[in-house]
Structures are given as structure tokens and as C-alpha cells.
Amino acid sequence: MRVIFIILDGLGIGAMPDAQKFGDSGSNTLGTILKEYPNLKIENLAALGLLNIEGRNGQVDKPTGNYGKMAIAHPGKDTTGGHWELMGLLLEKNFPTFPDGFPNNLMDRFKEVTGYGYLGNKAASGTVIIEELGRKHMETGKLIVYTSADSVLQIAAHEEVIPLEELYKICQKARQILQGPWGVGRVIARPFVGTPGNFKRTSGRKDFSIPPPDKTLLDCLINNNYSVFSIGKVASIFTYRGISKSFPATGNKEIINTLLQIIEGEKGDLVLANLVDFDMLYGHRNDVQGFARALEDFDSYIPRILRLLKPQDILFMTADHGCDPGHPGTDHTREYVPLLVWGKEINEGINLGSRSTMADAAATIADFFSIEGTKSGQSFWRDLRRR
């Protein structure tokens, strides 16, 4: 008995009713992609029921998977809150954001603790601010500090100016002071290389998250002697708590190949994988074509994933928020997320409806393993299991 849980980072399927409060009215990540690429080759996702969720062109008469959508119940649209909610922990209030940059008293403390000066201190696209300030950073040795509409403090540094391990230590020091009213969800190391006009971010990105304030499904599983494997950035989002083993991997291809090896090796009771490229490379960069091609690439792996699953295994596919590449701006979008569930020994073709919270996924997995979960969410395990 295993659960394979794949997070298609940023693949929203339509604006939530309160999206206007976040400036996200009309956002629809999947809709944007399908509008521009109506012949998108995602036959396997369609067969599982992805296009049936909203009755889109290409929906199938008899989906082989179970399908629905889930609302974001916490008051945000960021990575940390999304992952925590998927694992049964709902935030009552969102992490603080700093759209006008971080306050002077915080940045004075930042300089004191890290020992470095800084450039930037504003909301910006990572690739844009590196091009803007990269030359000055290399001349002065000052860190490039920036944020976004999400609750993050990002620190960019050229690897020849600030070695990677030093950048990580800087981020750890920043994480220690970013608590309470300054408690952003993540501090992110953003190393880059190259020369002015030709800078390139590297795979050395590392996230330093704030610890979950309460238990998650991962804690519940570990406490019941189940193992939790994570691939990519997932472990850092939970500050490695509730994780039995973490597999570092960057980029969708490496993450998927690592996932396939784990599935084939019959390891892990819950295996979590986040396909970061959808969000990081395409959603945030308004690259509709790139997002479309990445979806097609992922779709091509699905038959192999399904073949490798054992009879009692269950596959979940969903997202943590939206990141509409066609929406104004480059930030996450507050959207419903898709829900696809497949297994060889469970029902198929069940419309799981519109769930009121992403925590329903965690409640269902807790039922699957017959353990007590986090109390958040409503399980739909009864709809899935064959009687």
C-alpha cells in the first residue's frame, strides 16, 4: 500500500470566488494554455479525467481516473501554505508580504546578522533584478535582496562572488530573524553565474521555510511508523519534519525519473514529488508555450507511472495554487486546483466534485492508511474504494 502524490506546481484550473481580492479575477492557468493550444497533446491526463473537471473540449465519456477540484481554504496563494493545506494543515492567516520592500529596521538587522550589505529590497522578477543589479553586485559584493507578491525573501548572489555554501549560511541567518511579524513563509537562496547581459540562475536554489505550527499528515504517518519520501523541494517546505528520506532533484525530468526509480523500487509509503518547472520556469515567466510543452512532456510519462504502480497503490495528482502565465504580472494566482486519483483496485470515473479545501486530500490519505489525521478536511475514501 503506497500513495504516490504528484504536485503539478502552479496548475490552477480557474479563479476562486474571492480571486478579485488578490488581483486574480479571470485567472485560469489550464484555460489559458488550452485557449492558446487547443490541440494540446495531453491524452493521458484527459483519459484520467482532467478535462472533465470543468467540462472542457476533449473530455472523455468514461474517465479511467476519479476527478474533481479543490479550493484553497487558507487566505493565501503561496507555495508553503498550499503544501501545508494539501497535507492537512490550514493557516488561519496568511504569511506577511512586503510588496513595497522590507522595512528599514528589518534590513538593518539583516546587515547586522549576515555581515553583508544589500541591493534592491523591492518586489521584482528574479531574472529581471539579476540583470538589473548583477553587475553592481559583482563590483560591491552586496547581496541582491528582493521579494514578490508571495511571502518570500529571496537572496541572489553570483557563485564567484558568494560561494554557494556561504549563500546558504546567509539564508539560514536571515531565516532566524524572520519570525513573528517578519515571519515570511520562505527565505530562498538564488545563486547565479555568467556575465552582465548573460546571467543565468543555477540549480543551486535552496528554500528555507518557516516550521509548520502544528502537525501535518506527514507527522501523523511518521508517528504511525509509515515512511514518507519526498523528491525535490518538498522536504524544505516542511523543514524536513515528517520526512523519512529526501531525494534532491531539480527540474521536472530529473524529478520524474527519480520518482520512477522509487516506484519501481517499491519504497516509501507516501511518496511526494513537486514538479517545479511548471511554476518556476513558465508560470512566473509568462511563458504559455513553455508551460504547454512541459504539460505534454509530463503527460508522456503517465503510462509508465501507471504500469509501475502495484495493485494496492494509489496515485494522486493535484497542484498547490495557480500560476497563470497569461495573467498580468508574474505571481501566483488564486485558483481551484485539479484533483485526479487513480488506482488499479479502486473505483474509476467518480466525479469527486468541488471540494471546499485541499486538506480533503490529506484526510483521504489518512483513511487509506487507517490512521488518525489532522482533523482538517473531509475524506472521500468511501467514494474511491470498491465495496
Side-chain angles (χ1 to χ4, degrees):
M1 292 177 59
R2 292 181 303 176
V3 171
I4 309 301
F5 200 97
I6 301 175
I7 300 165
L8 310 179
D9 202 324
L11 185 64
I13 58 170
M16 287 185 50
D18 62 353
Q20 73 278 1
K21 296 179 182 178
F22 298 81
D24 295 333
S25 295
S27 58
N28 191 325
T29 303
L30 181 60
T32 291
I33 296 165
L34 290 174
K35 182 178 181 180
E36 193 154 333
Y37 296 94
N39 297 317
L40 192 69
K41 297 177 181 178
I42 52 169
E43 292 83 0
N44 298 300
L45 285 167
L48 291 171
L50 178 64
L51 301 180
N52 289 62
I53 298 172
E54 296 289 355
R56 302 180 188 276
N57 290 336
Q59 65 179 307
V60 296
D61 292 334
K62 295 181 179 179
T64 58
N66 304 286
Y67 59 95
K69 65 181 182 180
M70 299 187 290
I72 300 174
H74 73 278
K77 53 176 181 176
D78 62 280
T79 295
T80 303
H83 279 72
W84 287 2
E85 184 173 336
L86 285 169
M87 292 297 108
L89 173 58
L90 272 71
L91 294 173
E92 293 184 1
K93 62 179 182 178
N94 200 21
F95 298 112
T97 56
F98 299 89
D100 299 318
F102 299 96
N104 291 334
N105 56 345
L106 169 56
M107 295 312 297
D108 289 343
R109 181 68 175 146
F110 176 89
K111 288 194 295 183
E112 177 186 342
V113 167
T114 65
Y116 286 87
Y118 63 88
L119 305 168
N121 186 27
K122 59 183 179 180
S125 161
T127 52
V128 172
I129 200 168
I130 288 170
E131 286 300 329
E132 176 190 346
L133 298 175
R135 182 190 294 274
K136 191 172 182 180
H137 156 72
M138 296 183 74
E139 293 171 349
T140 64
K142 293 181 179 181
L143 303 166
I144 300 174
V145 176
Y146 63 104
T147 186
S148 70
D150 299 318
S151 183
V152 294
L153 183 146
Q154 306 192 68
I155 305 174
H158 196 289
E159 291 189 1
E160 294 179 8
V161 177
I162 307 289
L164 201 55
E165 290 304 318
E166 174 66 9
L167 178 58
Y168 294 161
K169 290 177 183 178
I170 292 168
C171 289
Q172 288 173 330
K173 292 175 181 178
R175 177 73 277 174
Q176 291 171 2
I177 64 171
L178 289 165
Q179 306 292 330
W182 295 343
V184 294
R186 289 176 295 160
V187 176
I188 306 177
R190 289 289 197 176
F192 64 96
V193 294
T195 56
N198 192 32
F199 290 128
K200 181 180 180 181
R201 295 199 295 195
T202 73
S203 61
R205 166 188 169 154
K206 191 170 183 179
D207 293 28
F208 299 82
S209 295
I210 198 164
D214 204 345
K215 69 179 181 180
T216 70
L217 172 68
L218 310 186
D219 300 310
C220 299
L221 287 167
I222 294 294
N223 292 339
N224 283 275
N225 299 314
Y226 287 106
S227 61
V228 178
F229 286 7
S230 73
I231 307 170
K233 71 178 185 179
V234 175
S236 67
I237 295 170
F238 294 90
T239 62
Y240 295 84
R241 202 180 81 197
I243 304 292
S244 307
K245 188 172 182 179
S246 173
F247 295 79
T250 57
N252 283 5
K253 185 175 181 179
E254 184 179 353
I255 291 167
I256 294 169
N257 285 328
T258 303
L259 176 64
L260 290 169
Q261 291 172 16
I262 293 172
I263 296 174
E264 194 166 18
E266 303 183 38
K267 300 291 181 68
D269 296 307
L270 172 63
V271 182
L272 292 160
N274 176 294
L275 300 183
V276 66
D277 286 356
F278 296 122
D279 174 86
M280 183 176 70
L281 297 185
Y282 309 119
H284 283 303
R285 299 184 186 180
N286 301 125
D287 185 351
V288 180
Q289 182 182 38
F291 210 132
R293 298 292 83 82
L295 270 177
E296 291 184 334
D297 288 343
F298 171 66
D299 189 82
S300 69
Y301 282 96
I302 290 177
R304 186 176 174 192
I305 293 173
L306 301 187
R307 284 197 303 270
L308 288 175
L309 294 177
K310 305 303 178 185
Q312 293 188 3
D313 294 344
I314 295 183
L315 171 67
F316 281 73
M317 286 189 284
T318 184
D320 52 343
H321 51 68
C323 197
D324 186 345
H327 195 68
T330 59
D331 298 313
H332 294 158
T333 42
R334 189 165 167 88
E335 301 179 51
Y336 289 99
V337 299
L339 173 64
L340 297 174
V341 189
W342 183 92
K344 295 178 180 178
E345 293 186 351
I346 64 173
N347 288 326
E348 61 182 42
I350 303 296
N351 185 345
L352 298 170
S354 181
R355 318 299 302 188
S356 62
T357 168
M358 297 190 294
D360 286 4
T364 303
I365 294 169
D367 270 0
F368 174 73
F369 286 112
S370 299
I371 64 170
E372 183 177 342
T374 66
K375 304 297 185 183
S376 295
Q378 188 72 35
S379 171
F380 49 83
W381 177 236
R382 287 185 178 182
D383 296 322
L384 296 177
R385 65 182 183 183
R386 292 175 181 167
R387 295 175 176 82

